[in-house]
Amino acid sequence: MIAFLLLLLCGLQGTVLALRGYCTASQCYAIFLGATNFKGAQNKCQDFNGNLLLFLDVEEQGHLLTDLRGSFWYGSPEANVQNCTSFSVWEGENVTTHTIPCGNQLDGYFCQYPNADPCGAIPGGADAQVMYTAPMGFVMNTSRHFPVGTLALAQKTPRYPDAKYLCFESSWLKAPWNCEVLDGGCEQSCNSTSGTCACPHGVYLHANLISCSDDPCDRCAHKCHRPTRACDCHAGYELDPDGKSCVDVDECEEMDVCVDESEECVNIPGHFKCTCRDGFDLEEGKCVDVRICAKCEHMKCVKSNGVYACECGEGFKVSPQDPTKCVMYCDQQDCLANCISNPDLEERDMHQCFCPDGYINDIRNKTAYCTDINECEIQAQCEHNCENLFGSFVCSCNEGYELFDEYMCVHPDEPDWTPSEPAKPDLRPATLPSYVKAGSILGIIVFVLLCLVLLYFLIRNLAKRCGSLELASLKGPDMDIFYLQQVTTETYKRLSFDKQSRCDSQRL
């Protein structure tokens, strides 16, 4: 590709310069002046991979035909190759098309070239202007796409350019580039060994790295102290050991500039900026921690006083142990339980339900409720006074005593007692129920009675079948030893039959 670019640029230097040109993303159009016939115009366009213009739309006409006068070749020859197409234009007026002998001499011709791998525009500085010159020789002041080989010159002052660029494979190469291509873009000469521009003895290489100057201050990248001819740098930069270049100072490494733990330092040329760390968002000029929002169990997150916190759905509250989790919550005597829907269980007046700590599940009319447990009625939860709360309880002491370890009361005058700050009442989750429901007690009693009745009938049946119950242990040395043995159903029937026969023999 470099060889092709070298050939293109060197060849075009000897061509007739174009009057003007314009490039789109896919094609470049150029007007060339010089008396020539149709065949000569066609050959000159084809010398550099182009053709005579076939068609020009309204947009291209506006860029190319303004203030243009004369007759120009374009298009392809007619079938008889005797007559060719041309057009005449007079100072931007309507174009008139003609068919004339191909051997006639006209004022010029229109060429079009494919624009492969074009470059975009170079952002100019605050005061710098950029001039683009296509390899065909025309200046492109209105184009937005530039062909391979285009030279761009960024310049603030007429004496020295700020930089020079060459379009190559959709990218701009900043001078100095390869010395084989237009001497690397150098003003004087290019050193192929070092790949830099060179200047004669006693002359300094300008700060733009392509021009030569006899003023030592012109070599300074930023600024110069005229009395001493010494280079200096703008704020945020420091002078390079070469005495002319300026190197950016990384404030993030040399200084502790971002003091907030939610921020991190990012170095930029000549300065720095503090940005929010991962997990923090910039809101109202401050970095706010939003990491907790991704962990909220109920996917609800709200901002209060500049801080994000999780929220829970109805019937739940944020867990005091984990601010990202939700626990069931009830602030009254009875609340609806949190149940897993199961029609089969609900039909039998049974539910798979859950209640907050300090509440017990209670089913009323096939509806599950959570009823508060009165911990103060269960047992002595507190040494002095107990106050029941929804889902918990709190202890307090009589006058003259202080609460210790949440439920004990200690008098300050007791030996080895060290006064302490008054303890705040602490809500603890209930561990024991305050009552057992009457229905549960009734169910237990009925179950025990059924077991006793079954046991009675079993003993009575055995007594009728065997006559009487004899204890082998009371018969002296003739003690029967019984072993537990796993038996099958058939073995059980056989043993039962043998046992019955034995009882019948004993009756005899």
Side-chain angles (χ1 to χ4, degrees):
M1 186 66 183
I2 294 179
F4 169 75
L5 180 63
L6 176 62
L7 182 63
L8 173 67
L9 294 175
C10 292
L12 289 177
Q13 286 179 341
T15 64
V16 178
L17 294 182
L19 174 63
R20 66 184 63 166
Y22 176 77
C23 291
T24 66
S26 59
Q27 295 286 331
C28 283
Y29 307 95
I31 304 174
F32 291 89
L33 298 179
T36 183
N37 58 23
F38 184 90
K39 187 64 175 178
Q42 189 177 49
N43 290 338
K44 290 181 180 179
C45 289
Q46 293 175 349
D47 285 344
F48 302 100
N49 197 31
N51 290 291
L52 279 172
L53 178 67
L54 298 177
F55 175 78
L56 195 66
D57 63 20
V58 176
E59 180 181 356
E60 280 79 40
Q61 289 182 22
H63 290 285
L64 297 175
L65 303 183
T66 303
D67 299 328
L68 184 65
R69 298 184 60 178
S71 297
F72 303 88
W73 294 114
Y74 84 100
S76 59
E78 297 294 334
N80 57 13
V81 300
Q82 297 296 323
N83 296 318
C84 299
T85 56
S86 67
F87 65 83
S88 300
V89 59
W90 302 99
E91 296 184 357
E93 295 180 2
N94 293 335
V95 176
T96 303
T97 303
H98 309 278
T99 302
I100 59 177
C102 297
N104 289 4
Q105 298 284 319
L106 299 185
D107 299 321
Y109 52 93
F110 273 64
C111 291
Q112 66 180 39
Y113 303 91
N115 193 12
D117 299 324
C119 295
I122 296 176
D127 302 322
Q129 293 182 347
V130 182
M131 183 176 66
Y132 301 92
T133 304
M136 289 76 79
F138 58 85
V139 176
M140 296 176 288
N141 294 324
T142 59
S143 297
R144 291 180 301 226
H145 308 277
F146 306 94
V148 173
T150 299
L151 289 175
L153 200 65
Q155 198 161 357
K156 292 181 181 179
T157 59
R159 185 177 180 186
Y160 296 108
D162 293 335
K164 184 185 291 186
Y165 302 89
L166 176 67
C167 178
F168 178 69
E169 293 184 347
S170 303
S171 300
W172 292 104
L173 301 179
K174 187 176 181 180
W177 50 76
N178 193 313
C179 292
E180 296 178 356
V181 180
L182 299 178
D183 290 330
C186 300
E187 181 183 277
Q188 294 282 349
S189 62
C190 183
N191 188 328
S192 58
T193 303
S194 61
T196 60
C197 296
C199 296
H201 179 70
V203 180
Y204 301 93
L205 183 64
H206 194 274
N208 62 17
L209 303 180
I210 56 176
S211 304
C212 296
S213 172
D214 55 3
D215 187 351
C217 282
D218 285 341
R219 65 192 177 98
C220 298
H222 284 184
K223 54 185 180 179
C224 179
H225 292 290
R226 283 292 175 182
T228 61
R229 303 291 179 91
C231 297
D232 196 6
C233 299
H234 300 312
Y237 294 84
E238 60 185 6
L239 194 64
D240 191 76
D242 64 8
K244 57 183 180 179
S245 304
C246 291
V247 182
D248 177 53
V249 175
D250 191 346
E251 295 86 353
C252 298
E253 290 187 358
E254 298 188 2
M255 298 177 288
D256 189 11
V257 290
C258 300
V259 296
D260 196 316
E261 62 179 8
S262 63
E263 297 177 333
E264 62 181 356
C265 182
V266 177
N267 185 62
I268 57 178
H271 197 49
F272 67 92
K273 63 179 180 180
C274 295
T275 61
C276 296
R277 296 183 182 275
D278 290 340
F280 293 82
D281 285 350
L282 184 64
E283 296 184 5
E284 299 177 358
K286 294 183 179 180
C287 294
V288 181
D289 189 355
V290 296
R291 293 173 296 182
I292 192 174
C293 294
K295 303 177 182 178
C296 294
E297 184 176 9
H298 286 193
M299 303 303 293
K300 291 185 176 183
C301 197
V302 295
K303 181 182 177 183
S304 178
N305 297 326
V307 178
Y308 279 97
C310 295
E311 268 195 353
C312 299
E314 185 178 358
F316 292 82
K317 67 176 182 179
V318 177
S319 171
Q321 286 76 33
D322 188 343
T324 65
K325 302 297 181 182
C326 294
V327 295
M328 293 185 64
Y329 172 68
C330 180
D331 59 353
Q332 48 190 319
Q333 180 71 27
D334 297 292
C335 295
L336 288 175
N338 184 25
C339 300
I340 299 176
S341 179
N342 189 333
D344 295 336
L345 291 178
E346 294 168 4
E347 184 66 25
R348 291 178 289 169
D349 202 15
M350 300 170 60
H351 295 74
Q352 188 175 357
C353 301
F354 304 93
C355 289
D357 291 338
Y359 286 79
I360 189 171
N361 188 12
D362 183 18
I363 300 176
R364 309 173 196 166
N365 299 326
K366 296 185 179 181
T367 302
Y369 290 90
C370 293
T371 302
D372 176 52
I373 299 172
N374 190 343
E375 295 87 353
C376 297
E377 293 181 355
I378 300 174
Q379 58 185 27
Q381 299 283 3
C382 304
E383 188 173 2
H384 282 185
N385 306 312
C386 178
E387 179 185 358
N388 182 57
L389 302 174
F390 293 136
S392 184
F393 68 97
V394 64
C395 297
S396 62
C397 298
N398 297 329
E399 186 177 356
Y401 287 82
E402 295 185 6
L403 188 65
F404 174 72
D405 196 20
E406 299 183 354
Y407 66 94
M408 297 176 60
C409 293
V410 181
H411 197 282
D413 295 335
E414 291 183 9
D416 301 328
W417 168 248
T418 303
S420 61
E421 295 183 1
K424 296 181 179 180
D426 184 27
L427 304 181
R428 299 187 301 171
T431 56
L432 295 175
S434 61
Y435 62 89
V436 180
K437 302 299 292 181
S440 301
I441 297 176
L442 180 60
I444 295 173
I445 294 175
V446 171
F447 176 75
V448 173
L449 290 176
L450 287 176
C451 291
L452 292 175
V453 171
L454 290 175
L455 182 61
Y456 167 75
F457 282 108
L458 179 62
I459 296 174
R460 182 179 178 183
N461 186 44
L462 291 176
K464 286 181 179 181
R465 296 178 63 181
C466 297
S468 62
L469 183 62
E470 297 180 0
L471 298 177
S473 60
L474 301 178
K475 294 183 178 182
D478 298 331
M479 180 182 298
D480 292 333
I481 301 176
F482 298 92
Y483 296 91
L484 297 176
Q485 180 179 2
Q486 182 176 1
V487 296
T488 64
T489 304
E490 296 298 327
T491 306
Y492 176 74
K493 291 179 179 180
R494 179 170 51 80
L495 292 176
S496 300
F497 178 78
D498 293 344
K499 184 176 179 181
Q500 183 176 4
S501 300
R502 183 179 177 185
C503 291
D504 295 339
S505 63
Q506 287 180 355
R507 292 194 186 97
L508 296 176

